[in-house]
């Protein structure tokens, strides 16, 4: 029986392709303001 | 190339269908409020009416889609059978499934591809996210068998990730990050997928011929089902799905669906548009995107690519759950994924139809608790004295008839269309009639249990806990009455409570409750009984589908390879089965 980490990806073309992360959330202006100025103990 | 017979066809059809569904629901709401409150409705009457209109809209919407599909002309399938210009990677993400079965299907697909002389154009990559070390060992051994297949070395690849970052979407992303640039297209399959070489060629050719096509989704047919429940689902997928998808395709235009498998994507479009972020916040709404396929379709459409479903492309198969418990387990996962899309309804730049698709997916699950709420509100209303308002004369029979027509009309329309276009012949001619009637009967009987399971799933996800499931065997088909009872006893309790309440509070309304409460009371028996029939399934004429009457050669080839591998036990399956290796649910 082979070792479980057996990875015969050898021979697969090495041709990296970037997959940039997409934006799906809108910046929450009110929430950011609230966190930045009012919840001072949560900074950092 | 635009979508539709004339400019604006898709938009006009959407507008007409949305208006029609809204008009039917508002009319039903007016009938309903006249029935329950007359011209002096109370607040509970308004609540019940709003719930009826909300839930009824999605019923009418679904039914109208089916009717449009039943009456739509038959379009030509995309692509042709010329040799594709682009190179395709067939990606098979796996996760603790039985590797011998999966790899046998890959071997069958590879044999057909090689036979057509297209070995250089189609490579296979098995992308394992398996967490069980025993199953991983089986995979490694099964891969060795796969390497003995024609032209396999250097064309069929396997790797296993140690960490499942991003789950299935991350698994595919990992492949693209490493080798995406070597391929023009990727056909994405599931572990239980099977696809004819002709279909793969047609899909790759469709990509060659339309450079704006970003994703082409097939409508897979469920095969291999043996139980009454499984075969009913397989019959539905084989008989109705083509027409429902044809209707949906006309409404979706170039913002069609992606169901996560049995589809082809243009590699550079997918890479450029579908890098999924991790959503802020904690699960169930934050974290990794669970139902990634809908989101990827929306992102491709946002990027200007066509996303299209083609129901005319045959030769695309998958397997489905064989009993209601397995179905409900799968539904629970999908429910969580769809509810998470609430966060994406306002995502920047999405097409209107992508947002509508998210909403549709959310409502597919939210409808169940809303129906349940309508039932509870109706039970509560029996305690409230009638306001004595004047009525126009709406009767409960009219409302009931409206619901029945909405549910059944599309199926009968498809039955008629099937007789006219020759589809019924492939299903055994007149024998399709008892199959349709049987499907209507069984789906009606299991509906209350399904409603209860879906409502519980929504409740669990919203409140962040999981009630769990009784253990079922790997590749479970038939379930015992005991297992069925363990999974659904609480549905019986709710049904008994509702019947008792109505008997005491409003016995006159009891007959209206019984069509829902009686099947709910019998849920364990229905789950158990519908999971039976494995022994005589193939010879059974009920729910008979073309994949049983005249199976595609690739189905036979995959079964023959599997039988051969099992007979020679090349991967130590006997030994591993004896160890009780199970895939996590």
């Amino acid at each position: 029986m082979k070792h479980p980490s057996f990875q015969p990806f050898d021979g697969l073309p090495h041709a990296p392709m970037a997959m940039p992360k997409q934006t799906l959330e809108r910046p929450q202006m009110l929430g950011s303001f609230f966190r930045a100025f009012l919840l001072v103990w949560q900074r950092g | 190339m635009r979508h539709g017979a004339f400019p604006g066809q898709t938009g006009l059809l959407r507008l007409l269908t949305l208006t029609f569904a809204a008009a039917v629901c508002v009319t039903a709401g007016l009938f309903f409020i006249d029935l329950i409150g007359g011209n002096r409705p109370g607040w509970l009457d308004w609540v019940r009416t709003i719930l009826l209109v909300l839930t009824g809209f999605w019923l009418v919407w679904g039914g109208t889609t089916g009717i449009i599909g039943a009456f739509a002309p038959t379009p030509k399938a995309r692509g042709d059978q010329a040799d594709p210009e682009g190179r395709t990677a067939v990606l098979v993400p796996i996760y603790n499934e039985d590797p011998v079965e999966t790899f046998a299907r890959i071997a069958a697909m590879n044999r057909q591809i090689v036979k057509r002389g297209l070995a250089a154009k189609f490579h296979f990559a098995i992308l394992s996210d398996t967490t069980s070390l025993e199953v991983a060992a089986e995979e490694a051994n099964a891969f060795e068998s796969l390497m003995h297949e024609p032209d396999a070395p250097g064309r069929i690849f396997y790797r296993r990730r140690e960490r499942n970052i991003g789950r299935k979407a991350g698994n595919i992303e990992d492949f693209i990050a490493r080798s995406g640039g070597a391929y023009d297209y990727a056909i994405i399959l599931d572990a239980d997928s099977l696809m004819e070489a002709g279909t793969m060629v047609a899909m790759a050719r469709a990509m060659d011929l339309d450079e704006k096509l970003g994703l082409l989704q097939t409508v897979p047919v469920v095969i291999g089902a043996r139980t009454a429940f499984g075969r009913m689902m397989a019959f539905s997928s084989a008989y109705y799905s083509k027409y429902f998808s044809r209707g949906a395709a006309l409404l979706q235009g170039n913002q069609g669906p992606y169901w996560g498998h049995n589809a082809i994507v243009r590699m550079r479009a997918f890479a450029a548009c579908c890098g999924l972020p991790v959503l802020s916040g904690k699960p169930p709404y934050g974290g990794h995107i669970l139902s990634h396929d809908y989101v990827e379709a929306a992102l491709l459409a946002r990027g200007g690519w066509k996303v299209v479903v083609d129901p005319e492309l045959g030769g695309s198969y998958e397997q489905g759950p064989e009993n209601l418990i397995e179905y409900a387990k799968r539904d629970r996962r999908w429910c969580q994924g769809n509810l998470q899309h609430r966060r994406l309804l306002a995502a920047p730049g999405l097409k209107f139809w992508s947002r509508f698709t998210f909403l549709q997916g959310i409502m597919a699950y939210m409808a169940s608790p809303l129906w349940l709420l309508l039932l509870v509100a109706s039970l509560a209303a029996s305690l409230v004295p009638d306001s004595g308002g004047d009525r126009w004369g709406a009767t409960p029979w009219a409302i009931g008839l409206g619901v029945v027509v909405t549910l059944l009309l599309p199926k009968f329309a498809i039955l008629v269309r099937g007789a006219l276009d020759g589809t019924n012949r492939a299903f055994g001619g007149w024998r399709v009639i008892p199959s349709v009637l049987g499907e209507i009967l069984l789906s009606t009987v299991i509906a209350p249990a399904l409603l209860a399971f879906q409502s519980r799933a929504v409740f669990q996800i919203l409140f962040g806990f999981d009630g769990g499931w009784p253990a079922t065997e790997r590749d479970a088909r038939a379930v015992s009455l005991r297992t069925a009872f363990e999974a659904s006893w609480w549905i019986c309790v709710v049904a008994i409570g509702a019947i008792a309440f109505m008997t005491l509070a409003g016995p006159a309304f009891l007959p209206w409750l019984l069509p829902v409460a009686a099947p709910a009371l019998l849920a364990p028996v229905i789950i158990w009984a519908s999971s039976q029939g494995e022994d005589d399934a193939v010879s059974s004429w009920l729910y008979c589908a073309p994949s049983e009457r005249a199976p595609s050669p690739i189905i036979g080839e995959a079964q023959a390879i599997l039988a051969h591998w099992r007979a020679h036990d090349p991967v130590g399956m006997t030994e591993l089965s004896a160890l009780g290796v199970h895939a996590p649910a």
Side-chain angles (χ1 to χ4, degrees), chain B residues 4 66-67 99-100 128 132 161 183 210 213 242 250 284 286-287 308 326 342 423 442 528 532 560 575 585:
Chain B
I67 290 169
V100 184
S128 172
S132 157
R161 294 198 300 173
Y183 298 97
D210 184 354
L213 186 59
K242 181 173 75 175
L250 286 170
V308 172
E326 290 302 315
R342 180 186 71 83
T423 299
L442 187 52
W528 164 76
Q532 307 300 309
E575 180 192 340

Side-chain angles (χ1 to χ4, degrees), chain A residues 1-28, chain B residues 140-141 143-144 157-160 173 176-182 271-277 280 302 343 346-347:
Chain A
M1 190 178 291
K2 285 190 176 296
H3 190 268
S5 62
F6 168 65
Q7 297 198 355
F9 240 20
D10 310 330
L12 190 73
H14 180 71
M17 190 175 243
M19 227 173 148
K21 295 291 178 197
Q22 302 297 308
T23 305
L24 282 168
E25 295 178 276
R26 291 181 193 276
Q28 294 177 315
Chain B
N141 283 318
F143 183 71
E144 205 161 82
F157 309 101
Y158 167 93
R159 73 96 172 86
R160 186 170 80 87
E173 191 173 330
I176 294 173
R178 176 177 178 145
S179 301
C273 299
C274 297
L276 296 182
S280 61
R302 182 172 82 172
R343 289 279 304 276

Side-chain angles (χ1 to χ4, degrees), chain B residues 450-500:
Chain B
L450 204 55
L451 180 137
F453 282 133
Q454 285 190 341
S455 300
R456 187 178 75 157
V458 170
F459 183 76
Q460 286 174 344
I461 291 159
L462 292 182
F463 294 94
F465 65 89
D466 188 347
W469 292 96
T472 49
E473 294 300 311
R474 184 180 186 180
D475 294 332
R477 295 181 191 272
V479 293
S480 67
L481 195 55
R482 182 194 174 93
T483 305
F485 185 76
E486 282 174 1
S488 61
W489 61 268
W490 58 276
I491 302 176
C492 302
V493 172
V494 172
I496 290 169
I499 292 170

Side-chain angles (χ1 to χ4, degrees), chain B residues 146-160:
Chain B
L146 201 51
M147 282 296 97
H148 291 105
E149 290 295 312
D151 290 351
R155 280 187 54 254
I156 302 182
F157 309 101
Y158 167 93
R159 73 96 172 86
R160 186 170 80 87

Side-chain angles (χ1 to χ4, degrees), chain B residues 111-142:
Chain B
R111 284 185 188 181
Q112 281 203 345
I113 288 288
V114 171
K115 202 172 172 183
R116 290 178 73 120
L118 293 171
K121 294 291 183 183
F122 290 88
H123 288 183
F124 291 81
I126 300 159
L127 312 175
S128 172
D129 258 358
T130 289
T131 50
S132 157
L133 292 181
E134 289 86 353
V135 179
E138 288 180 48
E139 287 172 3
N141 283 318

